[in-house]
Amino acid sequence: MLPSAAPTAAPVGKNTAKDDDAPTAEPLELDEVIKLLEDPSWDTSKDRLLFLLGKLLKRFQNGFLLKNLAEVFKVLSLCADKTTDHPEYIPVMCDILQICGLPFLKEKSSDEVKYAAVVKESLSQMGCLMRVPSAKIRLQTCTSIIMCFRQPKHKCCVNGLRLTSPGYKMQMLEQCGIAETLVLSLALLEGQLEVKLRVLHALQMLSMASEVNCRLILKAQGASKMCSIMNEQDPSGQLLFRASEVLWNLLEKGNKEEVTSQLSSLDCILSFKEAFLNQLLNGFRQYDLQLRNDLLVIISLIAENPKAPLIESGLAKELISSFTFPEIKSQNPLLHSFKLSFNYEDYEMKKLLFNIIVVMLNDPCALPLFREGKVLLALFYHMNPNKKLEKCSWSTVQQEELQLQALATLVSVAPLLLDDYMSFQGNTRLLLLLEWCGEQADGYFGQGHCFHGTGGRGTKKAQLRYCLRLLRTMASLANETLNQNLCDQGAITQLLGIIMQVEVTYEQDAVTLEITSNIQLILSALCDDNLHRKELFGSDGVEMTIYFLKNSAGKFYSGLGHNKLIITTVDCVWYVNVCIKHQSSLVALFHIDVMLKNILFLLWRSCIVGCYTTEDLFLGKGGIFLLLDLLESSPRSMQSMVLGTVLELCDNPKTRSHISAWRGLAGHTAAGLLVQLWKEEERELGVKRDQLGGIIDTKKPILSAYQDKDPESQAPLPADKPSAAVLDVMENLRAKIYSIFCKIGFEDLPGLTAADYVTIAIIRKYLDFKVGEVWDEITRELEAEEVRPISPDVVALESIAKATEDKVKMAALEQADLLEQQRQQDLHKEQLLYSEIKFNHKQQELAAKSWEDFLARTSNYKILLESRKNQEASIESSKTEIKDDGSIFHPTQIAGLHVTNFCGRVITVDSTPTHLTGGPLANTDLALERVPIRGGAPQRLTNPQTDSVPVR
């Protein structure tokens, strides 16, 4: 008879034994063992059977061959049927199962694929051995499964054979479905704690290995079965640990929704409640505290399911009591003996409870428990920066992280507990915290280690960020009592001081942008539709707005993220306006972080527009110029908001002069910019226009492409749904551009071309065209509904259609006249240009002829004399002959002057006669030298009268 345990497996490695020791069995030996087990008279050959089994085990001590697995597991199955009456086969089965835990062996590389079906069937039979009512067999079965995950990762040779690949056995375990079998076997293990722990260990390894095993465990309701056994009596505490580890693996690698669905039953939650309270009140070792925190994480995941009965089970109340301890004195008798040790595990538990409080908000029924447990007061306690550190309390770093997490939690909790917020003086607490954040010389240095402390290391930026986020959430509720309380405490002035301090103190990053944006949103919510608060906003607020308009407009493409924030949240800002006006949901408010959009919101119906004092200050500081600069450079998603802001400011009579004086980067005017935007908008909408911007279709002058192709425009619409024509007004820029032109006028606009005036002819008639479009929709809807109006209504509809078409034709004629005038002007300019060219050519010809004449005179003496005579004749002819008997006339020619050469370098002049001058000289030759009029080499000249020597 064999011993109770199989011999220890030999080390895996190269074996130098003879071929007789190779782990291969003769088919006759396995067949003989199977034949003896199937023989009805096997009792007579029991000794021989045990001998053969021992021989086979010795031969297979290094692992089973893939090709022998079918026979080996058939032997196991036959032995399992006989263990009830013959327990001596139990040790043999355990020895075989122990060898099954070793890597399988193969003779060829193709054996893994060839025998894959046999391996899956064999491993499936090994899982079915859990039905054998023997603790040893069950333990060894689970141990063999666990050993499959401890295979050597390298391929070795065993007696000339090779090991299967490392992942082969785990892959076969997945495909055979042994994980599901083990879960189902838990029902057979009542009272067998050791076996149950081993099964859980095996399930832990299987669930950690792959998603397939997790899916099989969930298929057998493994998550709920883990809850049903986690609180069973176990002195070692291993049962709760193993069950929680399996649940962890299922949540990480399995279907999270399926896991939470199984764990959301009342029985499972009661089991979690019992396990958590037991660990909370009785656990003192670090192992127990870590296990308590693991249970809290699983509970928080369950709480995300709004159908989970946390309140009905009483678990929610216990969690709230644990959260408010020790800040709030609890009446819960279970917590009277509970004390925090303020170690790291207790700190982690506190943070997990913060998270659970936020998750429990999914169930509105939890709010009465929050009020009863004074959750808001406990959060305010953590928020207070001036509380003194006790001897046994959190460290400075931990206290900072809890403070930030309390602020982040209040953002979700405080809007739902508004009465508690007001009764606990929440506004005062927030403004005091805001004041503390603005103090720079108190020696506080933020650590910035936690998630909420990002960007706040060495400063109070993180506290300021979450304080403003909470204040923004509360102000955006549009509760007049709350907002009035904030304004009475000087919130507007305080916020204006902080926003400029932040801009100067902190560097520009995402956190700073969020802080600035939140302050602007708070100011918008406080000043909205309240003239007195807009006056409090005053000059300091206008200065702040101008400052950010100047600095932010130039950062669209700076790489700091301004452009991305502006483009991705443009719709949110419009929705902010809607939410505040209608006091609706705050969900959209939690994702607004756009600085420049918030500035525009400050302008539009919030802090500036509507108060003439602030409007005049804004205009006087060039605010409208900055808005138009922003309109010129902003993306299309921003243009609607900017145009709306400009339109609102146009109600101020001083705005028009500012708009007229503005000039863009390319020198174009505001009217030119608006016309350009109109053209781009119509191009985007697919409106039909000719090359010069004229009207093509007189029946559809402003109809967009999506209106023309939309089948719903032809179908009847319900009364509460706007038609396509009305939606077109709300969804594009044309209505705002038309309204601005109505404010600034359509005539005498500087900087416009004829093509621009062609477009203005359409803009001027936009309202008439839109009215006709609406009436046309009404007519088509009546036809679609087969409703015939009464005769006067038919006449009225026809008259409206005819009048609209006439207006379109008049606009088209006006466009044609403008184009014709432009054509005539272009033709006139062309003629002037040709005349100028002709005149220039004539001047060039005259200049050339003059040069030729000059050359002729200088090169031919006869021509020079002839030219001289002509000149003298011309002079004489130009003189007027006036005869006066009492007048004495003198000749204009000086007597004795004789010029021999006009262009020579030497000119000889005879002196004036002595009887005229009275001088002593009578005949003096003067030689004068001058620079020649034309270039050339000096020439030798001779005076024909005196024959004097020429001078160079």
Side-chain angles (χ1 to χ4, degrees):
M1 195 174 203
L2 289 174
S4 58
T8 305
V12 178
K14 187 171 178 72
N15 196 341
T16 58
K18 297 181 180 179
D19 294 341
D20 295 339
D21 296 330
T24 57
E26 295 293 338
L28 294 177
E29 292 180 354
L30 285 171
D31 292 342
E32 185 177 357
V33 171
I34 294 172
K35 187 181 298 184
L36 290 174
L37 287 172
E38 292 177 342
D39 189 0
S41 60
W42 67 277
D43 290 336
T44 58
S45 57
K46 187 188 336 180
D47 294 337
R48 175 171 175 73
L49 179 60
L50 293 175
F51 173 77
L52 289 175
L53 286 172
K55 184 178 179 181
L56 288 175
L57 289 174
K58 185 178 180 181
R59 188 179 297 273
F60 285 111
Q61 62 181 347
N62 289 326
F64 291 117
L65 272 169
L66 291 176
K67 67 178 185 180
N68 298 135
L69 281 180
E71 291 81 3
V72 170
F73 276 91
K74 188 172 184 180
V75 170
L76 271 175
S77 179
L78 293 173
C79 290
D81 296 336
K82 302 180 183 299
T83 52
T84 305
D85 299 327
H86 301 277
E88 59 270 17
Y89 287 96
I90 292 177
V92 177
M93 292 182 64
C94 291
D95 294 339
I96 297 175
L97 289 172
Q98 183 178 4
I99 298 175
C100 289
L102 299 175
F104 295 139
L105 303 178
K106 61 182 179 180
E107 295 177 332
K108 301 177 182 179
S109 299
S110 60
D111 285 351
E112 292 184 3
V113 179
K114 181 178 180 181
Y115 296 105
V118 175
V119 175
K120 285 189 289 186
E121 180 64 27
S122 302
L123 293 176
S124 178
Q125 292 180 21
M126 185 173 70
C128 293
L129 292 177
M130 294 297 294
R131 75 183 188 280
V132 179
S134 172
K136 292 182 178 180
I137 294 177
R138 290 171 175 173
L139 286 172
Q140 187 58 55
T141 301
C142 296
T143 303
S144 299
I145 295 173
I146 296 170
M147 289 174 62
C148 295
F149 297 93
R150 299 173 182 172
Q151 298 185 59
K153 295 184 179 181
H154 56 281
K155 297 182 179 180
C156 299
C157 294
V158 180
N159 299 326
L161 302 176
R162 286 180 294 173
L163 302 179
T164 54
S165 56
Y168 178 74
K169 203 168 188 179
M170 289 185 284
Q171 185 180 1
M172 294 297 104
L173 285 173
E174 290 178 2
Q175 297 180 12
C176 73
I178 198 170
E180 183 179 2
T181 305
L182 290 179
V183 175
L184 296 174
S185 67
L186 289 173
L188 306 174
L189 304 179
E190 292 295 333
Q192 299 183 31
L193 179 60
E194 184 181 2
V195 180
K196 192 173 293 186
L197 288 174
R198 195 68 58 85
V199 172
L200 290 178
H201 190 189
L203 288 172
Q204 180 185 351
M205 302 299 293
L206 288 168
S207 59
M208 189 187 302
S210 69
E211 298 178 3
V212 177
N213 291 330
C214 293
R215 187 162 57 248
L216 292 171
I217 293 173
L218 290 174
K219 182 180 178 182
Q221 299 295 313
S224 58
K225 288 184 179 180
M226 294 300 109
C227 295
S228 63
I229 64 174
M230 65 168 53
N231 292 314
E232 291 182 2
Q233 194 69 25
D234 177 22
S236 65
Q238 289 285 320
L239 193 62
L240 179 60
F241 169 74
R242 296 293 182 189
S244 63
E245 285 295 315
V246 173
L247 291 176
W248 261 107
N249 295 335
L250 293 177
L251 288 168
E252 287 182 353
K253 295 194 174 182
N255 189 334
K256 183 180 176 181
E257 289 74 16
E258 177 64 22
V259 178
T260 54
S261 177
Q262 291 187 21
L263 298 180
S264 296
S265 64
L266 183 60
D267 292 337
C268 291
I269 293 178
L270 289 173
S271 297
F272 274 109
K273 176 185 176 183
E274 181 183 352
F276 171 70
L277 291 177
N278 182 50
Q279 295 297 118
L280 178 69
L281 301 175
N282 302 322
F284 58 92
R285 299 173 299 176
Q286 185 178 7
Y287 165 81
D288 296 327
L289 300 180
Q290 290 176 347
L291 186 56
R292 174 198 64 191
N293 293 345
D294 291 345
L295 291 174
L296 267 180
V297 175
I298 298 175
I299 291 172
S300 65
L301 295 175
I302 298 173
E304 293 179 358
N305 184 7
K307 297 181 180 179
L310 265 69
I311 299 175
E312 294 81 352
S313 63
L315 178 58
K317 187 174 183 179
E318 299 298 337
L319 292 172
I320 292 173
S321 299
S322 303
F323 169 73
T324 57
F325 182 85
E327 292 80 21
I328 306 297
K329 292 183 178 180
S330 176
Q331 303 298 327
N332 192 340
L334 295 176
L335 297 178
H336 286 171
S337 59
F338 173 62
K339 290 185 180 181
L340 284 175
S341 58
F342 296 100
N343 56 17
Y344 180 77
E345 300 302 332
D346 287 342
Y347 167 68
E348 288 295 323
M349 181 193 73
K350 199 72 175 177
K351 293 176 65 177
L352 289 171
L353 288 170
F354 272 104
N355 182 59
I356 288 179
I357 291 297
V358 177
V359 174
M360 287 174 62
L361 292 175
N362 295 332
D363 189 355
C365 298
L367 295 179
L369 295 178
F370 285 5
R371 295 189 181 95
E372 181 183 351
K374 299 182 179 179
V375 170
L376 211 59
L377 187 59
L379 290 170
F380 281 141
Y381 175 84
H382 287 289
M383 186 190 74
N384 183 16
N386 298 318
K387 60 178 181 293
K388 296 181 180 180
L389 288 175
E390 300 177 0
K391 186 176 181 180
C392 295
S393 181
W394 310 112
S395 66
T396 305
V397 177
Q398 292 173 341
Q399 190 172 359
E400 177 192 351
E401 295 187 14
L402 291 177
Q403 179 191 30
L404 293 173
Q405 192 162 0
L407 286 169
T409 306
L410 278 168
V411 173
S412 302
V413 177
L416 303 177
L417 300 174
L418 190 57
D419 294 338
D420 289 356
Y421 177 84
M422 296 300 294
S423 62
F424 294 144
Q425 298 180 348
N427 285 339
T428 305
R429 295 174 185 268
L430 285 179
L431 293 179
L432 288 175
L433 179 60
L434 206 59
E435 183 180 357
W436 174 81
C437 292
E439 296 174 357
Q440 301 295 330
D442 60 351
Y444 179 84
F445 298 98
Q447 301 298 319
H449 295 313
C450 64
F451 168 77
H452 298 292
T454 302
R457 184 171 179 82
T459 64
K460 301 176 183 177
K461 187 192 285 190
Q463 286 83 353
L464 180 61
R465 174 190 186 185
Y466 281 94
C467 178
L468 289 170
R469 187 180 291 185
L470 173 58
L471 194 59
R472 180 201 69 188
T473 302
M474 301 309 298
S476 299
L477 291 173
N479 184 286
E480 186 59 29
T481 304
L482 186 148
N483 289 351
Q484 186 61 46
N485 181 265
L486 280 173
C487 294
D488 291 342
Q489 298 187 57
I492 294 177
T493 305
Q494 187 175 356
L495 289 170
L496 288 174
I498 288 176
I499 191 172
M500 299 311 297
Q501 180 182 349
V502 167
E503 185 67 18
V504 174
T505 306
Y506 300 132
E507 63 178 356
Q508 289 293 322
D509 55 9
V511 178
T512 305
L513 289 175
E514 181 184 349
I515 290 172
T516 307
S517 302
N518 286 337
I519 293 176
Q520 293 159 359
L521 278 175
I522 295 167
L523 292 170
S524 301
L526 293 178
C527 298
D528 187 30
D529 291 337
N530 192 299
L531 184 60
H532 175 63
R533 296 174 192 169
K534 291 181 181 182
E535 291 175 351
L536 292 177
F537 186 76
S539 60
D540 292 340
V542 173
E543 289 282 357
M544 179 270 296
T545 307
I546 294 294
Y547 173 82
F548 283 107
L549 274 176
K550 287 181 179 178
N551 288 275
S552 300
K555 297 179 182 178
F556 269 68
Y557 309 103
S558 63
L560 296 178
H562 293 76
N563 55 342
K564 183 177 179 181
L565 289 173
I566 292 169
I567 293 173
T568 55
T569 53
V570 59
D571 293 333
C572 295
V573 176
W574 279 98
Y575 190 57
V576 169
N577 197 4
V578 174
C579 287
I580 294 178
K581 295 291 183 183
H582 297 86
Q583 302 180 16
S584 60
S585 172
L586 296 174
V587 177
L589 300 178
F590 298 154
H591 305 286
I592 311 301
D593 294 315
V594 185
M595 179 168 61
L596 198 53
K597 298 290 285 183
N598 295 337
I599 298 170
L600 295 176
F601 190 48
L602 285 172
L603 294 169
W604 197 347
R605 299 183 183 274
S606 295
C607 298
I608 292 180
V609 174
C611 178
Y612 289 121
T613 305
T614 54
E615 282 186 9
D616 291 345
L617 287 172
F618 181 75
L619 293 174
K621 294 182 181 298
I624 198 70
F625 296 152
L626 297 175
L627 285 176
L628 292 174
D629 290 340
L630 181 60
L631 180 63
E632 182 184 23
S633 60
S634 63
R636 188 175 183 276
S637 56
M638 281 282 298
Q639 292 170 353
S640 179
M641 174 66 79
V642 180
L643 282 172
T645 307
V646 174
L647 177 59
E648 292 291 335
L649 286 170
C650 283
D651 290 336
N652 192 312
K654 299 179 182 179
T655 304
R656 179 174 180 178
S657 60
H658 289 261
I659 293 178
S660 301
W662 178 82
R663 293 295 181 271
L665 295 175
H668 52 257
T669 62
L673 176 61
L674 293 174
V675 171
Q676 179 183 349
L677 292 176
W678 179 282
K679 293 178 179 178
E680 292 176 357
E681 190 72 15
E682 288 197 333
R683 193 179 304 114
E684 184 75 19
L685 294 173
V687 181
K688 296 178 181 179
R689 294 283 182 263
D690 58 19
Q691 294 180 353
L692 300 176
I695 298 173
I696 294 179
D697 191 347
T698 57
K699 294 185 178 180
K700 301 174 182 179
I702 59 173
L703 195 69
S704 60
Y706 80 91
Q707 287 179 264
D708 203 13
K709 296 180 181 179
D710 189 6
E712 291 185 0
S713 61
Q714 307 293 336
L717 296 173
D720 59 342
K721 183 178 180 181
S723 64
V726 178
L727 286 175
D728 177 73
V729 175
M730 298 185 292
E731 293 178 353
N732 59 68
L733 307 178
R734 292 190 294 180
K736 293 185 179 66
I737 296 174
Y738 166 76
S739 301
I740 293 176
F741 270 111
C742 288
K743 299 287 185 180
I744 64 176
F746 294 92
E747 302 292 341
D748 299 329
L749 298 173
L752 296 183
T753 63
D756 293 335
Y757 276 107
V758 169
T759 304
I760 287 181
I762 300 175
I763 298 175
R764 189 201 303 267
K765 299 294 184 181
Y766 172 75
L767 183 59
D768 296 333
F769 295 165
K770 182 57 66 174
V771 171
E773 187 179 308
V774 173
W775 280 111
D776 183 61
E777 280 188 348
I778 294 173
T779 304
R780 284 188 277 108
E781 286 186 9
L782 291 175
E783 293 175 356
E785 294 177 355
E786 298 180 355
V787 176
R788 184 189 178 281
I790 61 177
S791 298
D793 289 344
V794 172
V795 174
L797 291 174
E798 291 176 352
S799 300
I800 292 171
K802 183 67 169 57
T804 303
E805 189 173 356
D806 291 342
K807 291 179 180 178
V808 175
K809 291 179 180 179
M810 290 176 61
L813 289 175
E814 182 182 354
Q815 290 178 330
D817 291 341
L818 289 171
L819 294 175
E820 179 61 25
Q821 292 176 10
Q822 181 64 29
R823 192 183 69 80
Q824 293 294 335
Q825 289 180 4
D826 293 341
L827 182 61
H828 179 65
K829 289 180 180 179
E830 184 179 357
Q831 292 175 352
L832 291 177
L833 179 62
Y834 280 121
S835 299
E836 183 178 357
I837 294 173
K838 185 177 179 181
F839 177 77
N840 291 336
H841 280 289
K842 184 66 175 177
Q843 292 298 321
Q844 291 176 2
E845 292 175 359
L846 292 175
K849 186 176 181 181
S850 175
W851 176 250
E852 291 175 357
D853 293 342
F854 175 75
L855 292 178
R857 292 195 304 269
T858 56
S859 60
N860 194 328
Y861 183 72
K862 292 182 179 181
I863 296 175
L864 179 62
L865 291 178
E866 185 179 354
S867 176
R868 174 62 179 170
K869 291 178 182 179
N870 292 335
Q871 184 179 10
E872 291 176 351
S874 177
I875 292 172
E876 291 298 330
S877 66
S878 65
K879 293 179 181 179
T880 58
E881 296 182 358
I882 300 175
K883 296 183 178 180
D884 190 350
D885 298 336
S887 302
I888 299 175
F889 292 93
H890 301 280
T892 58
Q893 186 175 3
I894 299 174
L897 177 63
H898 180 71
V899 180
T900 60
N901 195 337
F902 290 100
C903 298
R905 294 176 60 84
V906 179
I907 299 177
T908 303
V909 180
D910 291 339
S911 177
T912 305
T914 307
H915 67 274
L916 293 178
T917 61
L921 299 176
N923 191 7
T924 303
D925 293 336
L926 299 178
L928 302 177
E929 180 180 273
R930 65 173 182 169
V931 179
I933 298 175
R934 295 294 179 183
Q939 297 179 2
R940 189 178 186 87
L941 300 178
T942 304
N943 192 325
Q945 294 181 2
T946 61
D947 196 19
S948 60
V949 179
V951 181
R952 302 278 290 176

